[in-house]
Amino acid sequence: RKALCSTPNNNTVRPSDRTHRPSLPLPFHNNNTMDEEDRRYNNSSDEDEDPNSNLPPKVAELAEASVPTSLKGVRACMRCGIIKTLDQFLEYGCENCPFLDMAGNHERCNLCTTAFFEGQVAVMDPSESWTAKWIRIDAYLPGVYAISVTGQFDRD
C-alpha cells in the first residue's frame, strides 16, 4: 500500500511524484505598515545634518567603535586590552584610557601597548554582553579586545 499526501488545497499527491511540490503558506507581512521608528527616519527634513544625528544612541555608539584597520602589526592597550594598529594608537590614542596620552606620542604608544596578547573578541554592546563581563570590559566602548594581555606598565 502506498501512502498518500494531502496538500493545503486538498489535492492528493503521491510521494513518488517528484514534479509536484506542495506550496507552503508564506507568513503574512504587510509592507504598507511602518512602525514609529521607520517614520522618524523617513521624515528627516534637513539633508545637511550629520548622518549619525538621527540614529538611536546604541547605533551611533557602534558607529564610533574602534576596530583594527589591519590584522598585521596589531597591538593591545595594556590597561583595557583594546586592539588596534600602532598607527591607530598614534592617531587617536586609546578611547578607553585618554589619560595615557598616547595620541601623537610614539614613545607612550610603545610603553602602554603590547604585541603580546592572546585571543580576540569583538564586542558590540559591552554593557549587555556576557563575554564583555567575563573579561571585565563591560564599562568600555565597543571594539575588538584581547582576551588576555601579557605585560606590565613601567613604574615611571
Side-chain angles (χ1 to χ4, degrees), residues 76-78 113-118 146 148-152:
C77 174
M78 285 198 278
T113 64
T114 181
F116 300 105
F117 59 87
E118 292 185 27
S148 171
V149 178
T150 304
Q152 294 179 349

Side-chain angles (χ1 to χ4, degrees), residues 79-81 96 121 123 126 129-140 145-147:
R79 181 182 174 271
C80 68
N96 297 315
V121 60
V123 180
S129 169
W130 70 266
T131 307
K133 291 175 183 156
W134 180 63
I135 60 175
R136 296 182 184 100
I137 59 167
D138 52 323
Y140 297 147
Y145 289 87
I147 295 176

